[in-house]
Amino acid sequence: MKNLIEDIDVITPVSGEACETMKVTTENSSGKSRKLYIESYGCQMNFSDSEIVASILQKEGFDTTSDLAQADLVFLNTCSIREKAEQTVRNRLQQIQSFKKKKPEMLVGVLGCMAERLKTKFLEEEKIVDLVAGPDAYRDLPKLVAQVDEGDKAVNTFLSREETYADITPVRLDSNGVTAFISIMRGCDNMCSFCVVPYTRGRERSRDPHSIVAEAKDLFSRGYREVTLLGQNVDSYKWSEEENNKARLEKQGIHQVVNFANLLEMVALVNPDLRVRFSTSHPKDITDEVLEVMARYENICKYIHLPVQSGSSRILELMNRGYTRAWYLEKINRIRQILGPQCAISSDMITGFCTETEDEHKETLSLMDEVQYDYAYMFQYSERPGTPAAKKFADDIPNEIKTRRLEEIINKQREHSLLRNQQDVGTIQRVLIEGNSRRSDAHWQGRTSANRVAVFAKSENTNKGQYVNVLIESCTGGTLIARIVE
Ligand code: SAH
Ligand code: SF4
Ligand code: F3S
């Protein structure tokens, strides 16, 4: 079995909202002269943004490279979600310094959430940084780069109320050619007291659904077979023709509001062979309408990332999550009623939030027993400067206790992941082939609708991007071992 602690704290879920991993771009060369190297940290929103950044700079004559030594321009797209995430970036900047010594003309930029949080302070704290750009400032990058070329430092951390980069076709980086992310909204208007995202990503805004559908169609025509719709809180997606196009529509008398359920259906209708996933759902906002659309379309994957954070209603209140334990469990019931027990559910959890007692921690464990999550991303609380929790509550749970509680929930999750995987043994599942298995070129790797990874021997006439039916013969906590059936 894979190292769960590593999986949980380091690797990005498809759901994708939390991790501190990095990704390097692949080569993308048109033979032009300057080379861009981007590393992304944090959630899938950042990975998706890096593809927008690459697209904007490609138009300015930058090709991407996966070799740092070759780079003329180095961007780190950063995350602030936990202190550890920021420390990782600072360590990486130190390493990059040695490259810059050998190649002084190399330009170093910091993008993303940490850039937004620290703004000009970054330039004071990290001398090697030439450019700082927040998540809504990427259109300005060509100008900022030009400014640095002139010998100045450059900063833009302006947060927008409108920017969605809707018209920019992302350059797919590190792509397997089968699965892709589509950003459907930006920012977050929830004020979970522990969370830095509303400060680093700004106000919530939804992207024009027509541009989302057009992107999905384009991906399908290029051979992609799965899209994941991304947002911090997809259930509050709301786009109104009226608001966005008032004058023209008033003349025509058209009034239309597109909510997340409508959008999901629009994307599902692009093609029955295009799988649709989405992340992240918020327990207080996910509606029966969304669950019913999921039930209606086979190609909408039966998997929901529904982060609970804590099993204690008192802690949830302090976290300002907007639901209680009972409300959350009722949502789980609705999911099981409408989509059946096969629908996979995963979660995020935080241990050792301010004032959390031992009994309240046990409530998280008992909630896990009730839900039996397929998967979970688990963290110990890390106080973030400027957040409501940092202002109002003392970070009073000692580190050893946070860590011990974290280990307890990780151990419990490990049991549940295995249990849920075992329930698939003996069943036939439709799997989308994503590529070679990590361990062997003689095996394919793909995922079931419920997002479980299956590995199976290749057979003739099977290819990446194709659907196959597999019989699940055995499993570990992380993988289904399968065989192709007719
Ligand atoms: N929008 C998503 C989550 C975004 S952040 C949602 O609402 O669920 C991803 C996860 O990181 C969160 O779900 C939470 O579990 C964790 N997280 C956020 N801030 C944190 C902090 N200050 N300390 C520890 N974990 C945190
Ligand atoms: Fe953070 Fe809460 Fe927004 Fe998620 S919903 S990004 S946890 S503020
Ligand atoms: Fe994502 Fe990290 Fe920002 S989780 S939204 S990159 S703080």
Side-chain angles (χ1 to χ4, degrees), residues 17-19 41-43 45-46 78-81 113 196-197 200-201 232:
E17 304 307 344
C19 83
Y41 296 79
C43 64
M45 296 294 294
N46 255 12
T78 61
C79 174
S80 283
I81 200 82
C113 291
V196 78
V197 173
T200 62
R201 296 237 154 211
Q232 291 297 352

Side-chain angles (χ1 to χ4, degrees), residues 201-475:
R201 296 237 154 211
R203 297 305 296 269
E204 183 181 288
R205 62 221 100 117
S206 298
R207 177 178 166 191
D208 182 334
H210 306 102
S211 76
I212 297 169
V213 170
E215 195 172 324
K217 281 187 177 156
D218 175 57
L219 285 164
F220 187 80
S221 73
R222 291 194 283 130
Y224 286 81
R225 290 295 174 265
E226 182 181 297
V227 293
T228 302
L229 309 180
L230 289 181
Q232 291 297 352
N233 179 4
V234 291
D235 301 291
S236 60
Y237 177 91
K238 192 168 167 218
W239 191 87
S240 126
E241 297 247 15
E242 217 179 330
E243 276 311 306
N244 288 275
N245 218 342
K246 236 176 186 150
R248 181 174 67 82
L249 291 159
E250 259 166 22
K251 262 194 236 150
Q252 299 172 2
I254 300 174
H255 300 270
Q256 196 191 347
V257 176
V258 178
N259 67 15
F260 183 59
N262 309 141
L263 177 72
L264 202 53
E265 181 158 34
M266 286 162 78
V267 180
L269 286 168
V270 165
N271 194 297
D273 278 338
L274 182 70
R275 273 185 169 180
V276 188
R277 298 185 187 277
F278 54 88
S279 185
T280 298
S281 303
H282 197 300
K284 77 175 164 54
D285 296 322
I286 190 168
T287 59
D288 280 5
E289 192 188 359
V290 166
L291 302 177
E292 277 149 13
V293 170
M294 285 178 77
R296 209 173 310 136
Y297 292 89
E298 226 248 351
N299 59 328
I300 304 181
C301 291
K302 304 300 177 275
Y303 166 60
I304 301 176
H305 184 56
L306 198 69
V308 70
Q309 313 300 355
S310 165
S312 148
S313 293
R314 188 186 74 89
I315 294 291
L316 288 169
E317 165 102 47
L318 293 185
M319 288 176 163
N320 195 29
R321 286 289 288 181
Y323 54 87
T324 59
R325 176 190 174 100
W327 164 281
Y328 183 89
L329 288 171
E330 186 44 40
K331 279 287 162 196
I332 299 287
N333 272 342
R334 290 303 289 159
I335 295 171
R336 305 265 198 243
Q337 275 165 15
I338 298 175
L339 294 164
Q342 294 81 14
C343 179
I345 303 173
S346 62
S347 190
D348 293 345
M349 273 159 293
I350 298 177
T351 61
F353 186 66
C354 315
T355 73
E356 184 190 62
T357 64
E358 208 52 39
D359 280 350
E360 286 163 342
H361 161 62
K362 291 212 173 89
E363 286 189 76
T364 300
L365 290 167
S366 73
L367 179 129
M368 291 172 77
D369 280 328
E370 279 194 51
V371 179
Q372 298 207 340
Y373 291 110
D374 292 77
Y375 204 81
Y377 303 90
M378 298 167 267
F379 315 97
Q380 60 182 61
Y381 175 57
S382 163
E383 186 179 81
R384 307 312 295 132
T387 55
K391 287 186 195 150
K392 284 191 292 189
F393 316 125
D395 179 12
D396 57 354
I397 307 299
N399 212 33
E400 315 81 76
I401 296 185
K402 285 180 181 169
T403 309
R404 195 253 305 147
R405 289 179 185 169
L406 179 62
E407 277 165 13
E408 285 176 16
I409 65 169
I410 287 173
N411 288 337
K412 182 158 297 284
Q413 186 51 47
R414 191 172 274 161
E415 286 167 26
H416 290 161
S417 293
L418 180 62
L419 216 110
R420 291 287 288 165
N421 273 358
Q422 281 167 344
Q423 289 168 3
D424 271 0
V425 174
T427 65
I428 290 177
Q429 300 283 336
R430 191 164 188 247
V431 167
L432 172 62
I433 302 177
E434 289 176 11
N436 288 341
S437 103
R438 252 180 264 166
R439 295 222 181 114
S440 129
D441 288 356
H443 289 76
W444 290 123
Q445 174 178 308
R447 272 176 300 146
T448 67
S449 169
N451 206 34
R452 289 194 253 279
V453 173
V455 171
F456 43 95
K458 290 181 180 176
S459 70
E460 260 178 58
N461 302 325
T462 52
N463 282 306
K464 205 166 90 162
Q466 195 182 315
Y467 291 97
V468 283
N469 286 331
V470 299
L471 171 69
I472 313 300
E473 296 188 311
S474 63
C475 71

Side-chain angles (χ1 to χ4, degrees), residues 115-134:
E116 189 61 50
R117 195 176 83 74
L118 292 166
K119 303 186 168 61
T120 49
K121 263 208 267 174
F122 228 119
L123 299 176
E124 295 151 29
E125 290 174 16
E126 302 283 349
K127 297 285 178 242
I128 128 168
V129 174
D130 303 300
L131 179 157
V132 176

